[in-house]
Amino acid sequence: MKKLLSITSAIVMSCSLLFAQAVFAQAAEEVNVYSYRQPFLIEPMLKDFEEETGVKVNVVFAKKGLEERIEREGKFSPADVVLTSDMISLFDLVDRQLVQPVNSKTIDDNIPAHLRDPDNQWYSLTMRVRNIYSSKRSDKPVDINYEDLASSQFKGKICTRSGKHPYNIGLVASMIAHNGEAETRQWLEGVKANLARRPQGNDRAQIKAIREGVCDVSLGNSYYYGKMMENEDQKAWADAVYLNFPNQKNVGSHINISGMVMAKYAPNKDNALKLMEYLASEKAQSIYARDNMEYPVNPKVPVSDTVAAWGEFKADPLPIADIAANRTRAQRLLDEVKFDL
């Protein structure tokens, strides 16, 4: 009987070990992505990664709340890599201590220092300009600055989405970095006084409003212009505006980013690193540039022909970390001037 029990126990232990190994092997061929970036924007890269590596990519997409979800899941969170569509969400993940540092010479070689965290907790993936769009009912501005939006010449002529949207928070944070908090507050008050309507809609809605004569000037990310040019229903909106690169004679145009982090409790850490290194590679960055009309962070990768046609411009060289350091003050200023009310 004892011999039979020993044999049975050995078989059970062996089966358990084989089962655990099978589960581990299966997990080793997967990577779980939580994404704020819309599926159609990232699917081409993820599909290519799967084909190149054999690692299956599972994606959870959300418009908001991923930080709270990861916090609730705690140590049992399946998240390996988190993709964000702006710097505010990226730094929120870091502030909540939901990320872990990544040590990768491959990534560091592909992403310039001013576009990644000095402590390796976050990395930029793509860049976009916060452009000023102006109506073709007037001449194209020879030179225009963000600061000009507070001047009397634009009284009742500006449209914008909510000041509290991450894209605008990033811009306000950069204004603080360059001009100080007091001057930025005055600027916000001036821009608010020049609004043609209460802040509403998304970036594309502002360009539509220019075409409809609601306003003459708006703020908007660069890639939306390209997306509208490809959209049969929205091409007329894009055709009605000039795409302007602000602050070309001084600090350069404000740059926002999409980004990536490795989740704190990533269960598939090796595959997470593979994916992050792939997304910084020339191949993935070329897909980003071609399909999304964003500016690649990898300096070896050229912009798409569509984006190149918009012309060269001077970008604000200030490190993203220095801009993001002002994001809380930017949000406070927006509240204090009641920008959205």
Side-chain angles (χ1 to χ4, degrees), residues 37 40-42 44-45 125-131 133 167 203-204 220-232 234-235 238 243 245 255-258 284-297 301-311 313:
R37 300 229 69 183
F40 76 90
L41 293 175
I42 59 173
M45 278 75 70
L125 276 180
T126 62
M127 298 180 290
R128 67 291 294 262
V129 181
R130 196 70 179 146
N131 292 102
Y133 294 93
Y167 297 154
D203 279 4
R204 299 192 203 203
N221 283 355
S222 52
Y223 61 88
Y224 287 122
Y225 184 75
K227 292 294 183 183
M228 288 186 294
M229 292 297 290
E230 291 185 340
N231 186 305
E232 184 178 344
Q234 298 176 3
K235 187 176 185 302
L243 179 72
F245 292 94
I255 298 296
N256 207 314
I257 59 166
S258 68
Q285 289 283 302
S286 295
I287 298 174
Y288 267 124
R290 181 195 71 206
D291 293 357
N292 297 346
M293 285 170 279
E294 295 181 89
Y295 293 89
V297 295
V301 179
V303 299
S304 70
D305 291 342
T306 298
V307 174
W310 302 342
F313 71 98

Coordinates of all heavy atoms in Angstrom, one line a residue, residues 37 40-42 44-45 125-131 133 167 203-204 220-232 234-235 238 243 245 255-258 284-297 301-311 313:
R37 N -4.5 54.1 -26.7 CA -4.4 54.3 -28.2 C -5.5 53.5 -28.8 O -5.6 52.3 -28.6 CB -3.0 54.0 -28.7 CG -1.9 54.8 -28.1 CD -1.1 55.5 -29.2 NE -1.7 56.5 -29.9 CZ -1.2 57.2 -31.0 NH1 0.0 56.8 -31.4 NH2 -1.9 58.1 -31.6
F40 N -7.3 50.8 -34.1 CA -6.9 50.9 -35.5 C -5.5 51.6 -35.6 O -4.8 51.4 -36.6 CB -7.9 51.6 -36.3 CG -8.0 53.1 -36.1 CD1 -7.2 54.0 -36.9 CD2 -8.8 53.7 -35.2 CE1 -7.2 55.4 -36.7 CE2 -8.8 55.1 -35.0 CZ -8.0 55.9 -35.8
L41 N -5.1 52.3 -34.6 CA -3.8 53.0 -34.6 C -2.6 52.1 -34.3 O -1.5 52.3 -34.7 CB -3.8 54.2 -33.7 CG -4.7 55.4 -34.0 CD1 -4.7 56.4 -32.8 CD2 -4.3 56.0 -35.3
I42 N -2.9 51.0 -33.5 CA -1.8 50.2 -33.1 C -1.8 48.8 -33.6 O -0.8 48.1 -33.6 CB -1.7 50.1 -31.5 CG1 -3.0 49.5 -31.0 CG2 -1.4 51.5 -30.9 CD1 -3.0 49.3 -29.5
P44 N -1.7 47.6 -36.7 CA -0.7 47.2 -37.7 C 0.7 46.8 -37.1 O 1.3 45.8 -37.5 CB -0.5 48.4 -38.6 CG -1.8 49.1 -38.4 CD -2.3 48.9 -37.0
M45 N 1.1 47.5 -36.0 CA 2.4 47.2 -35.4 C 2.3 45.9 -34.6 O 3.1 45.1 -34.7 CB 2.7 48.3 -34.4 CG 3.4 49.5 -35.0 SD 2.3 50.6 -35.9 CE 1.3 51.3 -34.6
L125 N 6.8 57.2 -27.8 CA 6.7 56.4 -29.0 C 6.5 57.2 -30.3 O 7.0 56.8 -31.3 CB 5.5 55.4 -28.9 CG 5.8 54.1 -28.1 CD1 4.5 53.2 -28.0 CD2 7.0 53.3 -28.7
T126 N 5.7 58.2 -30.2 CA 5.5 59.1 -31.4 C 5.3 60.5 -30.9 O 5.1 60.8 -29.7 CB 4.2 58.7 -32.2 OG1 3.0 58.9 -31.3 CG2 4.2 57.3 -32.7
M127 N 5.6 61.4 -31.8 CA 5.4 62.8 -31.5 C 4.3 63.4 -32.4 O 4.1 63.0 -33.5 CB 6.7 63.6 -31.8 CG 7.9 63.1 -30.9 SD 9.4 64.1 -31.3 CE 9.8 63.4 -33.0
R128 N 3.7 64.5 -31.9 CA 2.8 65.3 -32.7 C 2.9 66.7 -32.3 O 3.2 67.0 -31.1 CB 1.3 64.8 -32.6 CG 0.7 65.0 -31.2 CD 1.3 64.1 -30.2 NE 1.0 62.6 -30.4 CZ 0.0 62.0 -29.9 NH1 -0.8 62.6 -29.0 NH2 -0.2 60.7 -30.1
V129 N 2.7 67.6 -33.3 CA 2.7 69.0 -33.0 C 1.4 69.5 -32.5 O 0.3 69.1 -33.0 CB 3.2 69.8 -34.3 CG1 3.3 71.3 -34.0 CG2 4.5 69.3 -34.8
R130 N 1.3 70.5 -31.6 CA 0.1 71.2 -31.2 C 0.0 72.4 -32.2 O 0.5 73.5 -31.8 CB 0.1 71.6 -29.8 CG -1.3 71.9 -29.2 CD -2.2 70.7 -29.2 NE -3.5 71.1 -28.6 CZ -4.6 70.4 -29.0 NH1 -4.6 69.5 -29.9 NH2 -5.8 70.8 -28.5
N131 N -0.6 72.2 -33.3 CA -0.6 73.2 -34.3 C -1.7 74.3 -34.1 O -2.6 74.1 -33.3 CB -0.9 72.6 -35.7 CG 0.2 71.8 -36.3 OD1 0.2 70.6 -36.2 ND2 1.3 72.4 -36.8
Y133 N -4.4 76.1 -36.3 CA -5.1 76.1 -37.6 C -5.7 77.5 -37.8 O -6.3 78.0 -36.9 CB -6.1 75.0 -37.7 CG -5.5 73.6 -37.6 CD1 -5.4 72.9 -36.4 CD2 -5.1 73.0 -38.8 CE1 -4.9 71.7 -36.4 CE2 -4.6 71.7 -38.7 CZ -4.5 71.1 -37.5 OH -3.9 69.8 -37.5
Y167 N -4.2 67.1 -24.2 CA -3.4 67.8 -25.2 C -3.2 69.3 -24.8 O -2.2 69.8 -25.0 CB -4.1 67.7 -26.5 CG -4.2 66.3 -27.1 CD1 -5.2 65.9 -28.0 CD2 -3.3 65.3 -26.7 CE1 -5.4 64.7 -28.5 CE2 -3.4 64.0 -27.2 CZ -4.5 63.7 -28.1 OH -4.6 62.4 -28.6
D203 N -10.5 67.8 -31.5 CA -9.7 68.6 -32.4 C -10.3 68.8 -33.7 O -10.3 69.9 -34.3 CB -8.3 68.1 -32.5 CG -7.4 68.4 -31.3 OD1 -7.9 69.0 -30.3 OD2 -6.2 68.1 -31.3
R204 N -10.8 67.7 -34.3 CA -11.4 67.8 -35.6 C -12.7 68.7 -35.6 O -12.9 69.4 -36.6 CB -11.8 66.4 -36.1 CG -10.7 65.5 -36.3 CD -11.1 64.2 -37.0 NE -10.2 63.1 -36.7 CZ -10.0 62.0 -37.5 NH1 -10.7 62.0 -38.6 NH2 -9.3 61.0 -37.1
G220 N -5.0 72.3 -32.7 CA -5.2 70.9 -33.0 C -3.9 70.1 -33.3 O -2.9 70.7 -33.7
N221 N -3.9 68.8 -33.0 CA -2.7 68.0 -33.2 C -2.5 67.8 -34.7 O -3.5 67.7 -35.5 CB -2.9 66.7 -32.5 CG -2.6 66.8 -31.1 OD1 -2.2 67.8 -30.5 ND2 -2.8 65.6 -30.4
S222 N -1.3 67.7 -35.1 CA -0.9 67.6 -36.5 C -1.5 66.5 -37.3 O -2.0 66.6 -38.4 CB 0.6 67.6 -36.6 OG 1.2 66.6 -35.8
Y223 N -1.5 65.3 -36.6 CA -1.9 64.1 -37.4 C -3.4 64.1 -37.7 O -3.8 63.5 -38.7 CB -1.6 62.8 -36.6 CG -2.2 62.6 -35.3 CD1 -3.5 62.0 -35.1 CD2 -1.6 63.0 -34.1 CE1 -4.0 61.9 -33.9 CE2 -2.1 62.9 -32.9 CZ -3.3 62.3 -32.8 OH -3.9 62.1 -31.5
Y224 N -4.2 64.9 -37.0 CA -5.6 65.0 -37.4 C -5.8 65.6 -38.7 O -6.8 65.3 -39.5 CB -6.4 65.8 -36.3 CG -6.6 65.1 -35.0 CD1 -6.1 65.7 -33.8 CD2 -7.3 63.9 -34.9 CE1 -6.3 65.0 -32.6 CE2 -7.5 63.3 -33.7 CZ -7.0 63.9 -32.6 OH -7.2 63.2 -31.4
Y225 N -4.9 66.5 -39.1 CA -5.0 67.2 -40.4 C -4.9 66.1 -41.5 O -5.6 66.1 -42.5 CB -3.9 68.2 -40.5 CG -3.9 69.0 -41.8 CD1 -4.9 70.0 -42.0 CD2 -3.0 68.8 -42.8 CE1 -4.9 70.8 -43.2 CE2 -3.0 69.6 -44.0 CZ -4.0 70.5 -44.1 OH -4.0 71.3 -45.3
G226 N -3.9 65.2 -41.3 CA -3.7 64.2 -42.3 C -4.8 63.2 -42.4 O -5.2 62.8 -43.4
K227 N -5.4 62.9 -41.2 CA -6.5 61.9 -41.1 C -7.7 62.5 -41.8 O -8.5 61.8 -42.5 CB -6.8 61.6 -39.7 CG -5.8 60.8 -38.9 CD -5.7 59.4 -39.5 CE -4.7 58.6 -38.8 NZ -4.5 57.2 -39.4
M228 N -7.9 63.8 -41.7 CA -9.1 64.5 -42.3 C -8.9 64.5 -43.8 O -9.8 64.4 -44.6 CB -9.3 65.9 -41.8 CG -9.8 65.9 -40.4 SD -10.3 67.5 -39.7 CE -8.6 68.3 -39.7
M229 N -7.6 64.7 -44.3 CA -7.4 64.7 -45.7 C -7.7 63.4 -46.4 O -8.0 63.3 -47.6 CB -5.9 65.1 -46.0 CG -5.5 66.5 -45.6 SD -6.4 67.8 -46.6 CE -5.7 67.6 -48.2
E230 N -7.6 62.3 -45.6 CA -7.9 61.0 -46.1 C -9.4 60.6 -46.0 O -9.8 59.6 -46.5 CB -7.1 59.9 -45.4 CG -5.6 60.0 -45.7 CD -4.8 58.9 -45.1 OE1 -5.3 58.3 -44.1 OE2 -3.7 58.6 -45.6
N231 N -10.1 61.4 -45.2 CA -11.5 61.1 -44.9 C -12.5 61.8 -45.9 O -12.4 63.1 -46.0 CB -11.9 61.5 -43.5 CG -13.2 61.1 -43.0 OD1 -14.2 61.4 -43.7 ND2 -13.3 60.3 -41.9
E232 N -13.3 61.1 -46.7 CA -14.1 61.7 -47.7 C -15.0 62.7 -47.1 O -15.3 63.8 -47.8 CB -14.9 60.6 -48.4 CG -15.8 61.1 -49.6 CD -16.5 60.0 -50.3 OE1 -16.1 58.8 -50.0 OE2 -17.5 60.3 -51.0
Q234 N -14.6 64.5 -44.3 CA -13.9 65.6 -43.6 C -12.8 66.3 -44.4 O -12.3 67.3 -43.9 CB -13.2 64.9 -42.3 CG -14.2 64.3 -41.4 CD -13.6 63.6 -40.2 OE1 -12.4 63.7 -40.0 NE2 -14.4 63.0 -39.3
K235 N -12.6 65.9 -45.6 CA -11.5 66.5 -46.4 C -11.9 68.0 -46.6 O -11.0 68.9 -46.6 CB -11.4 65.8 -47.7 CG -10.2 66.4 -48.6 CD -10.0 65.6 -49.8 CE -8.8 66.0 -50.6 NZ -8.8 67.5 -50.9
A238 N -10.5 70.1 -43.8 CA -9.0 70.3 -43.8 C -8.7 71.3 -45.0 O -7.8 72.1 -44.8 CB -8.3 69.0 -44.1
L243 N -2.4 75.0 -42.0 CA -1.7 74.3 -40.9 C -0.5 75.1 -40.6 O 0.4 75.3 -41.4 CB -1.3 72.9 -41.4 CG -0.5 72.0 -40.3 CD1 -1.5 71.6 -39.2 CD2 0.1 70.8 -41.0
F245 N 2.7 76.2 -38.0 CA 3.7 75.7 -36.9 C 4.0 76.9 -36.1 O 4.8 77.8 -36.5 CB 4.9 75.1 -37.5 CG 4.6 73.8 -38.2 CD1 4.4 73.8 -39.6 CD2 4.6 72.6 -37.5 CE1 4.1 72.6 -40.2 CE2 4.3 71.4 -38.2 CZ 4.1 71.4 -39.5
I255 N 5.5 70.1 -28.6 CA 5.4 68.7 -29.0 C 4.8 67.9 -27.9 O 5.2 68.0 -26.8 CB 6.8 68.1 -29.3 CG1 7.5 68.8 -30.5 CG2 6.8 66.6 -29.6 CD1 6.8 68.7 -31.8
N256 N 3.7 67.1 -28.3 CA 3.2 66.1 -27.3 C 3.6 64.8 -27.8 O 4.1 64.6 -28.9 CB 1.7 66.3 -27.2 CG 1.1 65.8 -25.9 OD1 1.5 64.8 -25.4 ND2 0.2 66.6 -25.3
I257 N 3.3 63.8 -27.0 CA 3.8 62.4 -27.3 C 2.7 61.4 -27.0 O 1.8 61.6 -26.2 CB 5.0 62.1 -26.5 CG1 4.7 62.1 -25.0 CG2 6.2 63.0 -26.9 CD1 5.8 61.5 -24.1
S258 N 2.8 60.2 -27.7 CA 2.2 59.0 -27.1 C 3.4 58.2 -26.5 O 4.6 58.5 -26.8 CB 1.6 58.2 -28.3 OG 2.6 57.7 -29.1
A284 N 8.8 49.3 -36.7 CA 7.5 49.8 -36.1 C 7.4 51.3 -36.2 O 6.3 51.8 -36.5 CB 7.5 49.4 -34.6
Q285 N 8.4 52.0 -36.1 CA 8.3 53.5 -36.2 C 8.0 53.9 -37.6 O 7.3 54.9 -37.8 CB 9.7 54.1 -35.8 CG 10.0 54.0 -34.3 CD 9.2 55.0 -33.5 OE1 9.3 56.2 -33.7 NE2 8.4 54.6 -32.5
S286 N 8.4 53.1 -38.6 CA 8.1 53.4 -40.0 C 6.6 53.2 -40.2 O 5.9 53.9 -41.0 CB 8.9 52.5 -40.9 OG 10.2 52.8 -40.9
I287 N 6.0 52.1 -39.5 CA 4.6 51.9 -39.7 C 3.8 53.0 -39.0 O 2.8 53.5 -39.6 CB 4.2 50.5 -39.0 CG1 4.9 49.4 -39.8 CG2 2.7 50.3 -39.0 CD1 4.8 48.0 -39.1
Y288 N 4.2 53.4 -37.8 CA 3.6 54.6 -37.2 C 3.6 55.8 -38.1 O 2.5 56.4 -38.3 CB 4.4 55.0 -35.9 CG 3.9 54.3 -34.6 CD1 4.8 53.6 -33.8 CD2 2.6 54.5 -34.2 CE1 4.3 53.1 -32.6 CE2 2.2 54.0 -33.0 CZ 3.1 53.2 -32.2 OH 2.6 52.7 -31.0
A289 N 4.7 56.1 -38.7 CA 4.8 57.3 -39.6 C 3.9 57.1 -40.8 O 3.3 58.1 -41.2 CB 6.3 57.4 -40.0
R290 N 3.9 55.9 -41.4 CA 3.1 55.7 -42.6 C 1.6 55.7 -42.4 O 0.9 56.4 -43.1 CB 3.6 54.4 -43.2 CG 2.8 54.0 -44.5 CD 3.0 52.5 -44.8 NE 2.3 51.7 -43.9 CZ 2.6 50.4 -43.6 NH1 3.7 49.9 -44.2 NH2 1.9 49.7 -42.8
D291 N 1.2 55.0 -41.3 CA -0.2 54.8 -41.1 C -0.9 55.9 -40.3 O -2.1 56.2 -40.5 CB -0.5 53.4 -40.5 CG -0.1 52.3 -41.4 OD1 0.2 52.5 -42.5 OD2 -0.2 51.1 -40.9
N292 N -0.2 56.4 -39.4 CA -0.8 57.4 -38.4 C -0.4 58.8 -38.7 O -1.0 59.7 -38.0 CB -0.4 57.0 -37.0 CG -0.9 55.6 -36.6 OD1 -1.8 55.1 -37.3 ND2 -0.4 55.1 -35.5
M293 N 0.5 59.1 -39.6 CA 0.9 60.4 -39.9 C 1.4 61.2 -38.7 O 1.2 62.4 -38.5 CB -0.2 61.2 -40.6 CG -0.3 60.7 -42.1 SD -1.7 61.4 -42.9 CE -3.0 60.2 -42.4
E294 N 2.1 60.5 -37.8 CA 2.8 61.1 -36.6 C 4.3 61.1 -36.9 O 4.8 60.5 -37.8 CB 2.5 60.2 -35.4 CG 1.0 60.2 -35.0 CD 0.8 59.4 -33.7 OE1 0.9 60.0 -32.6 OE2 0.5 58.2 -33.8
Y295 N 4.9 61.9 -36.1 CA 6.4 62.1 -36.2 C 7.1 61.0 -35.4 O 6.8 60.8 -34.2 CB 6.8 63.4 -35.7 CG 6.3 64.6 -36.6 CD1 5.1 65.2 -36.3 CD2 7.1 65.0 -37.7 CE1 4.6 66.2 -37.1 CE2 6.6 66.1 -38.5 CZ 5.4 66.7 -38.2 OH 4.9 67.7 -39.0
P296 N 7.9 60.1 -36.0 CA 8.5 59.1 -35.3 C 9.6 59.6 -34.3 O 10.2 60.6 -34.5 CB 9.2 58.2 -36.4 CG 9.4 59.2 -37.5 CD 8.2 60.1 -37.5
V297 N 9.7 58.9 -33.2 CA 10.7 59.3 -32.2 C 12.1 58.8 -32.5 O 13.1 59.4 -32.1 CB 10.3 58.9 -30.7 CG1 9.1 59.6 -30.3 CG2 10.2 57.4 -30.6
V301 N 14.2 57.2 -38.7 CA 13.0 56.9 -39.5 C 12.5 58.3 -40.0 O 12.2 59.2 -39.3 CB 11.9 56.3 -38.6 CG1 10.7 56.0 -39.5 CG2 12.4 54.9 -38.1
P302 N 12.3 58.4 -41.3 CA 11.7 59.6 -41.9 C 10.2 59.7 -41.7 O 9.6 58.7 -41.5 CB 12.1 59.4 -43.4 CG 12.1 58.0 -43.6 CD 12.6 57.4 -42.4
V303 N 9.7 60.9 -41.8 CA 8.3 61.1 -41.8 C 7.6 60.6 -43.1 O 8.4 60.3 -44.1 CB 7.9 62.5 -41.6 CG1 8.4 63.0 -40.2 CG2 8.4 63.4 -42.7
S304 N 6.3 60.4 -43.1 CA 5.7 60.0 -44.3 C 5.7 61.1 -45.4 O 6.0 62.2 -45.0 CB 4.2 59.6 -44.0 OG 3.5 60.7 -43.7
D305 N 5.4 60.7 -46.6 CA 5.4 61.7 -47.7 C 4.3 62.8 -47.4 O 4.5 64.0 -47.7 CB 5.1 61.1 -49.0 CG 6.3 60.2 -49.5 OD1 7.4 60.4 -49.0 OD2 6.0 59.3 -50.4
T306 N 3.2 62.4 -46.8 CA 2.1 63.3 -46.5 C 2.6 64.3 -45.5 O 2.4 65.6 -45.7 CB 0.9 62.6 -45.9 OG1 0.4 61.7 -46.9 CG2 -0.2 63.6 -45.5
V307 N 3.2 63.9 -44.4 CA 3.7 64.8 -43.4 C 4.9 65.6 -43.9 O 4.9 66.8 -43.6 CB 4.1 64.0 -42.1 CG1 4.8 64.9 -41.1 CG2 2.9 63.2 -41.5
A308 N 5.7 65.1 -44.7 CA 6.8 65.8 -45.3 C 6.3 67.0 -46.1 O 7.0 68.1 -46.1 CB 7.7 64.9 -46.1
A309 N 5.2 66.9 -46.7 CA 4.6 67.9 -47.6 C 4.2 69.1 -46.7 O 4.0 70.2 -47.3 CB 3.4 67.4 -48.4
W310 N 4.0 69.0 -45.4 CA 3.6 70.1 -44.6 C 4.8 71.0 -44.3 O 4.6 72.1 -43.8 CB 3.1 69.6 -43.2 CG 1.9 68.7 -43.4 CD1 1.1 68.5 -44.5 CD2 1.4 67.7 -42.4 NE1 0.1 67.6 -44.2 CE2 0.3 67.1 -43.0 CE3 1.8 67.4 -41.1 CZ2 -0.5 66.1 -42.3 CZ3 1.1 66.4 -40.4 CH2 -0.1 65.8 -41.0
G311 N 6.0 70.5 -44.6 CA 7.2 71.4 -44.4 C 8.0 71.1 -43.1 O 7.4 70.5 -42.2
F313 N 10.0 72.2 -39.7 CA 9.7 73.1 -38.6 C 10.6 73.0 -37.5 O 11.3 71.9 -37.4 CB 8.2 72.9 -38.2 CG 8.0 71.7 -37.4 CD1 8.0 71.7 -36.0 CD2 7.8 70.5 -38.0 CE1 7.8 70.6 -35.2 CE2 7.7 69.3 -37.3 CZ 7.6 69.4 -35.9

